[in-house]
């Protein structure tokens, strides 16, 4: 999922969001003061921990960091906490040891103890520094000191055959590095294989090859490898062909539903979409403002809570979109069949009837079960052309509705800007395939047609949240939460802003203030807009699902949830059930919220891995060629350079910058040479040569050809 949501609509094929996993949430909530018990709990979980580890785990807001430091210092003064020579903290008595099984959870790998409690830490941080493992995997039984029992789940990796031995280069998202093989494996250099992990070998992991991941073309090979490597479920616990799914809406299902079949609702999606779960219509109101009708596929009607179908959908959590395929959350008979709002076919829907004021405010709403019949299947390109003055082959009622929808969008957009929502343009790209082989990378262009649908979905999601809250919280629900930036990430953002003489507001940071800072630095700096937006996005926490109403920082909304994509997101299905009044235990909703946050991360990671694989496959044919690029990241070990037109980054290792010794200067986001004073800074424009490409791992090694002339404005 993106670092914050662009809209409430689920992602479809071709979309590439921003995102990176967030760590454990602040256990005491916003504005809280930290107690010694908070620090004890953190150190029990983390073992030896640096100050940064504590900040990352407890996630204090900026104004809470000083108070947390005072608590820790007091505990050091009393002798309860010991500080090592390296500056890390630990409990003087060592604390209790946590043991359990490794599970996938929100933010990474977690530890589930014998009582079923999921501990709020990444298990790799639970392993004491002296006994750190090369890696841990889902299913491992671990304690805070060492691995006890390896996971039965196979690990996917690349076979590397060397004169004296063969080993596996892991592709697993949690288990990086080398796995030594105990027997001569079948297969050839570069084959993708599955490996059974054995007991840990001296200095590393050991295993045996148990299967070859076979696939046809490059897209199939990449997809098959990464779906397995990320543990994405693809088998159903039942025979999907045996599901009794109707092909048409039965007459008995229409009883007691509001009949909207004469309303000129339409779907607006990408050209390659097949699962249509939202349809829209708008009309002016007599007293001013508009009626906005958002009809969402009634998936809850067909998926009974607790059924095998429901359990499989929950386990998947969401659909996964790759360039050559979709791994759906629901069987295709539902996702592309009876639940998909196909044109000219009766479909069951949950309707959200909104009243939007002339100022773009949500002034009223209602929810009800309905039967609809979409009047047209429109694409973004169709609607964008029409809004730009072109012709559209559609009924007059549809044309009239589209004109009003455009007016509604402009009002909602103005209101969005007024409240200060962040509005970064996603730098998305799609990979063009020919017979499964990547042949080009093209930017995904967004138009008012995309934004029109986004704003309509956001309005419906807000209305759903308000509707459920108005019922007094009797039915637990899952919110879409995006918290404000804090801690080290905010410090890193401020360091970048200081490069151009800007600072963050000293008061509690609001979205509008952050957006205004962004616009100021873009105006003052010669760095491309996308570089600044990348820096700002990296400072934001990951959006996730919660049962607590914590608001959505990126959208500048006090309450928000996901309602509009139940075909491809389990969170939305839960919300539909809550709207219908289905009772669910609060503990169950808590567990599901954590699980679907994790499945969302899992899907994102797999999608990015396949994306990187195919871009590297395209680039592999161009080894030795020179590209223009821009420095998109600076570290102590080198420069990450984004290649122009490729939407992919490679590394220029610091050893390839010349004979001088370069030091990392974080305050200027630069590598600076000791003797000559030469400097490489974020957003510098360079020419590089592609020296080597590792397709499956997404690694690109670059050599520096020359630096282009630096721009004159501040910050370049």
């Amino acid at each position: 999922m993106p670092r914050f949501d662009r809209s409430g609509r689920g992602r479809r094929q071709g979309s590439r969001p921003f995102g990176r996993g967030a760590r454990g949430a602040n256990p005491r909530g916003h504005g809280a003061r930290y107690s010694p018990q908070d620090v004890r709990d953190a150190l029990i979980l983390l073992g030896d921990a640096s100050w940064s580890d504590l900040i990352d785990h407890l996630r204090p807001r900026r104004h809470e960091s000083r108070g947390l430091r005072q608590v820790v210092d007091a505990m050091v003064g009393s002798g309860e906490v010991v500080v090592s020579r390296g500056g890390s903290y630990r409990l003087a008595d060592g604390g209790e040891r946590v043991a359990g099984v490794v599970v996938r959870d929100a933010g990474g790998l977690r530890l589930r103890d014998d009582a079923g409690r999921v501990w709020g830490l990444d298990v790799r941080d639970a392993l004491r520094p002296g006994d750190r493992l090369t890696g841990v995997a889902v299913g491992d039984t671990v304690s805070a000191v060492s691995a006890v029992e390896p996971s039965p789940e196979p690990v996917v990796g690349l076979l590397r055959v060397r004169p004296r031995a063969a080993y596996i280069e892991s592709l697993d998202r949690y288990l990086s590095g080398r796995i030594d093989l105990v027997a001569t494996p079948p297969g050839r250099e570069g084959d993708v294989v599955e490996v059974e992990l054995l007991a840990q070998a001296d200095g590393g992991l050991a295993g045996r090859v148990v299967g070859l991941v076979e696939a046809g073309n490059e897209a199939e090979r990449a997809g098959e490898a990464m779906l397995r490597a990320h543990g994405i479920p693809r088998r159903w616990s039942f025979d999907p062909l045996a599901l009794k799914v109707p092909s048409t809406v039965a007459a008995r299902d229409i009883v007691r539903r509001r009949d909207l079949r004469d309303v000129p609702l339409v779907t607006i999606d990408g050209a390659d979409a097949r699962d249509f779960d939202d349809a829209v219509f708008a009309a002016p109101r007599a007293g001013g403002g508009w009626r906005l009708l958002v009809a969402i596929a009634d998936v809850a009607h067909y998926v009974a809570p607790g059924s095998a179908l429901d359990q499989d959908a929950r386990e998947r959590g969401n659909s996964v979109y790759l360039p050559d395929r979709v791994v759906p959350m629901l069987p295709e008979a539902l996702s592309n069949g009876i639940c998909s709002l196909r044109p000219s076919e009766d479909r069951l829907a949950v309707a959200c009837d909104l009243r939007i004021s002339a100022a773009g405010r949500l002034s009223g709403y209602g929810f009800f079960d309905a039967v609809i019949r979409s009047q047209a299947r429109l694409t973004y390109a169709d609607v964008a052309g029409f809004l730009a003055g072109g012709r559209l082959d559609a009924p007059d009622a549809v044309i009239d509705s589209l004109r009003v929808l455009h007016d509604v969008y402009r009002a909602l957009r103005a209101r969005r800007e007024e409240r200060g929502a962040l509005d970064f343009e996603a730098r998305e790209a799609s990979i063009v395939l020919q017979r499964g082989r990547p042949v080009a990378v093209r930017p995904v262009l967004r138009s008012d047609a995309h934004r029109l649908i986004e704003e309509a979905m956001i309005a419906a999601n807000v209305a759903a949240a308000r509707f459920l809250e108005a019922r007094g919280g009797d039915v637990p629900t899952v919110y879409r939460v995006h918290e404000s930036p804090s801690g080290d990430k905010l410090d890193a953002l401020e360091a970048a802003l200081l490069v151009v003489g800007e600072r963050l507001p000293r008061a509690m940071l609001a979205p509008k203030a952050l957006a205004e800072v962004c616009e100021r630095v873009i105006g003052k700096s010669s760095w491309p807009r996308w570089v600044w937006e990348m820096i700002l996005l990296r400072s934001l926490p990951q959006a996730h699902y919660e049962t607590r109403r914590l608001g959505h920082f990126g959208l500048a909304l006090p309450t928000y949830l996901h309602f509009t994509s139940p075909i491809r997101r389990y969170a939305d299905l839960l919300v539909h059930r809550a709207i219908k009044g289905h009772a669910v235990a609060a503990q169950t909703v808590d567990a599901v919220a954590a699980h679907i946050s994790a499945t969302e991360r899992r899907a994102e990671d797999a999608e990015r891995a396949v994306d990187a694989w195919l871009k590297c496959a395209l680039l592999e044919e161009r080894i030795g060629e020179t590209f223009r690029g821009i420095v998109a990241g600076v570290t102590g070990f080198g420069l990450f350079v984004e290649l122009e037109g490729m939407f992919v980054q490679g590394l220029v290792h610091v050893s390839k910058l010349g004979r001088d010794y370069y030091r990392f200067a974080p305050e200027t986001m630069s590598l600076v040479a000791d003797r000559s004073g030469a400097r490489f800074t974020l957003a510098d424009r360079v020419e590089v040569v592609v020296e080597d490409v590792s397709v499956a791992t997404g690694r690109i090694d670059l050599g520096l050809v020359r630096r282009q002339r630096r721009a004159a404005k501040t910050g370049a």
Side-chain angles (χ1 to χ4, degrees), residues 66 68 177 256 320 374 437 464 596 688:
R66 181 175 297 179
L68 177 60
R256 297 181 182 175
V320 182
S374 171
R437 180 78 187 168
I596 59 180
V688 293

Side-chain angles (χ1 to χ4, degrees), residues 248-257 261 346 348:
T248 59
V249 173
R252 66 179 179 275
D253 291 335
I254 299 176
V255 177
R256 297 181 182 175
R257 287 181 176 261
R261 285 176 288 188
D346 289 356
L348 304 184

Side-chain angles (χ1 to χ4, degrees), residues 475-487:
V475 180
T477 192
V478 173
Y479 288 98
R480 184 61 172 178
V481 168
H482 183 237
E483 298 175 79
S484 59
S486 62

Side-chain angles (χ1 to χ4, degrees), residues 77 89 160 438 541 695:
Y89 300 91
R160 299 302 189 195
V695 172

Side-chain angles (χ1 to χ4, degrees), residues 353-357 360-365 412 459-460 462-464 466:
D353 204 343
L354 305 168
R355 293 192 299 276
I356 307 296
S357 74
R361 296 179 183 273
L362 177 60
S363 58
Y365 53 82
L412 291 173
V462 171
R466 292 185 186 178

Side-chain angles (χ1 to χ4, degrees), residues 600-653:
E600 182 180 51
R601 311 287 178 268
R602 178 180 68 189
E604 288 175 7
D605 288 347
E607 290 167 358
R608 287 195 189 92
V610 171
D611 189 62
W613 179 312
L614 295 176
K615 287 177 181 176
C616 286
L618 184 60
L619 203 59
E620 187 179 36
E621 300 173 355
R622 304 180 68 176
I623 290 176
E625 289 189 28
T626 298
F627 288 82
R628 291 184 176 182
I630 188 166
V631 176
V634 182
T635 71
F637 55 83
L639 309 172
F640 285 98
V641 176
E642 178 158 319
L643 304 183
E644 190 175 280
M646 296 296 294
F647 293 87
V648 68
Q649 295 178 14
L651 175 68
V652 179
H653 193 268

Side-chain angles (χ1 to χ4, degrees), residues 135-150:
V136 291
V138 171
D140 284 350
T141 301
V142 305
S143 73
V145 177
S146 62
V148 179
E149 182 181 338

